[in-house]
């Protein structure tokens, strides 16, 4: 596993026998492939009904493709149906073929070990709770709700306010709806607390640094959260480019006020037990402080280059 661009979780896969890379995206309902990658791997495409699935820009998916051979590590699958994106993904990065979504992930226990740069899939056939193999100093057991789409809903506390968050490993950062920012935290566009952060699909975006974000005893200090006007109220769930990849209409339980992304999740070791509907989380050890020099004597200046 690696972190492309420092944020996305990417893993090596094989499509039609050819090695490539895909992003692990718990926020995507279905596994998807870049249209150029679909051509590169000569995937067979089929038309699908429009207006059922949308990208974050509101573009409808119109095609699916069949992977005759698909491998993640030692896991092999044949004739896998995946969505074909209507436009280039990840800024046209040719090194990323697509995303591995909840339709595949929810069949396993998912282990994301950023400390050791590893991603593991485990069988769900085990005794409840017998999953913490990495011997952390402390572990939090967090109840989750896996909705029909496969999205994972996690209880969090943001600056003392309880709320449900969508766990989204495909999101660059944590995202708060503008409605909640205004109604719950009193944050309004045009005030110093709301720093402008561009425009996403016609909606102005902002960012604000909160005091703390807590997950069952694990506290992340000073999280910077992106805030924008959630487009779901216009008829479909949408998210900005820094958010999840695929949005269905009529998501179960409606919109979520907070999307928990990699900017905060990268501080954690996460084990998702979909079948148990629990998440086991431990905080990563902080990086060691730099070692002070053995002497305080001034360091001589480097000689000037010869002329």
């Amino acid at each position: 596993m690696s972190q492309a661009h420092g944020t996305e979780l990417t893993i090596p896969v094989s499509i039609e026998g050819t090695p490539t890379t895909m992003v692990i995206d718990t926020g995507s309902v279905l596994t998807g492939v870049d249209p150029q990658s679909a051509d590169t791997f000569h995937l067979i495409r089929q038309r699908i009904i429009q207006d059922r699935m949308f990208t974050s820009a509101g573009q409808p998916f119109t095609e699916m493709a069949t992977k005759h051979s698909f491998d993640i590590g030692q896991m092999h699958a044949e004739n896998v149906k995946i969505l074909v994106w209507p436009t280039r993904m990840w800024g046209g990065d040719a090194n990323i073929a697509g995303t591995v979504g909840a339709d595949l992930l929810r069949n396993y226990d998912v282990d994301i070990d950023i400390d050791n740069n590893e991603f593991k899939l485990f069988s769900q056939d085990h005794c409840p709770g017998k999953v913490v193999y990495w011997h952390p100093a402390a572990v939090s057991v967090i109840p989750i709700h896996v909705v029909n789409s496969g999205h994972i809903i996690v209880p969090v506390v943001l600056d003392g306010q309880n709320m449900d968050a969508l766990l989204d490993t495909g999101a660059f950062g944590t995202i708060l709806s503008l409605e909640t920012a205004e109604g719950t935290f009193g944050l309004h566009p045009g005030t110093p607390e709301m720093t402008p952060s561009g425009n996403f699909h016609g909606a102005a975006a902002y960012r604000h640094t909160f005091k703390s974000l807590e997950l069952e005893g694990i506290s992340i200090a000073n999280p910077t959260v992106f805030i924008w006007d959630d487009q779901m109220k216009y008829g479909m769930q949408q998210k900005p480019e820094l958010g999840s990849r695929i949005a269905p209409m009529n998501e179960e339980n409606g919109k979520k006020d907070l999307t928990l992304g990699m900017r905060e999740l990268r501080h954690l070791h996460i084990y998702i037990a979909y079948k148990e509907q629990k998440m086991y989380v431990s905080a990563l050890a902080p990086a060691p402080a730099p070692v002070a020099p053995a002497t305080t004597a001034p360091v001589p200046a480097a000689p000037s280059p010869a002329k």
Side-chain angles (χ1 to χ4, degrees):
M1 180 183 75
S2 64
Q3 287 188 267
H5 312 124
T7 54
E8 301 93 15
L9 299 177
T10 62
I11 59 169
V13 303
S14 176
I15 298 176
E16 310 295 43
T18 301
T20 186
T21 299
M22 295 183 79
V23 172
I24 295 300
D25 191 355
T26 59
S28 282
V29 175
L30 297 175
T31 296
V33 68
D34 184 279
Q36 182 168 308
S37 296
D39 292 337
T40 299
F41 298 115
H42 306 290
L43 302 182
I44 299 174
R45 303 194 193 192
Q46 296 176 324
R47 299 285 296 179
I48 60 174
I49 299 174
Q50 297 186 30
D51 302 328
R52 295 295 179 89
M53 301 291 293
F54 297 86
T55 70
S56 57
Q59 300 165 313
F61 287 90
T62 61
E63 292 183 319
M64 294 196 76
T66 301
K67 293 180 183 178
H68 290 118
S69 177
F70 181 51
D71 297 271
I72 302 177
Q74 297 180 348
M75 185 191 77
H76 175 75
E78 296 182 356
N79 299 322
V80 178
K81 299 284 188 182
I82 57 172
L83 285 173
V84 178
W85 271 69
T87 56
R88 296 301 309 276
M89 303 173 69
W90 306 103
D93 188 340
N95 295 317
I96 299 179
T99 60
V100 179
D103 57 327
L104 294 181
L105 298 175
R106 69 187 303 175
N107 298 308
Y108 303 90
D109 280 8
V110 174
D111 182 54
I112 300 173
D113 182 1
I114 293 176
D115 231 6
N116 293 305
N117 214 32
E118 292 182 340
F119 169 80
K120 302 184 183 78
L121 295 175
F122 291 99
S123 168
Q124 296 179 341
D125 186 16
H126 58 73
C127 296
K130 304 297 183 180
V131 300
V132 183
Y133 66 89
W134 61 95
H135 308 297
V139 63
S140 294
V141 182
I142 303 174
I144 62 176
H145 176 45
V146 182
V147 300
N148 289 338
S149 66
H151 281 160
I152 300 169
I153 308 303
V154 182
V156 301
V157 180
L158 182 64
D159 277 10
Q161 298 293 327
N162 294 308
M163 56 185 60
D164 290 335
L166 171 67
L167 186 79
D168 191 349
T169 60
F172 163 76
T174 293
I175 309 164
L176 183 70
S177 71
L178 179 61
E179 181 181 353
T180 302
E182 292 179 326
T184 302
F185 298 101
L187 298 171
H188 301 279
T191 61
E193 294 81 9
M194 294 271 280
T195 304
S197 189
N199 185 286
F200 299 105
H201 312 309
Y206 308 88
R207 63 181 185 273
H208 173 76
T209 299
F210 288 83
K211 294 179 181 178
S212 68
L213 176 65
E214 298 177 24
L215 294 88
E216 291 288 330
I218 294 178
S219 182
I220 299 172
N222 304 317
T224 296
V225 176
F226 293 90
I227 300 169
W228 78 302
D229 188 11
D230 194 337
Q231 300 297 292
M232 187 179 179
K233 61 187 177 184
Y234 300 117
M236 70 180 88
Q237 179 181 345
Q238 298 181 8
K239 287 194 276 186
E241 292 170 352
L242 53 78
S244 186
R245 302 295 150 213
I246 302 174
M249 291 190 70
N250 303 321
E251 170 64 88
E252 179 187 349
N253 298 333
K255 69 174 183 177
K256 298 300 176 290
D257 291 324
L258 190 73
T259 296
L260 190 58
M262 285 307 304
R263 195 166 188 158
E264 282 62 51
L265 296 176
R266 63 188 173 88
H267 299 292
L268 309 172
H269 184 143
I270 302 171
Y271 188 106
I272 304 168
Y274 277 94
K275 186 176 180 180
E276 280 188 60
Q277 302 230 14
K278 289 182 180 177
M279 190 166 72
Y280 300 82
V281 178
S282 62
L284 302 183
V291 178
T295 176
T296 58
V299 178
S304 300
K307 293 184 181 180

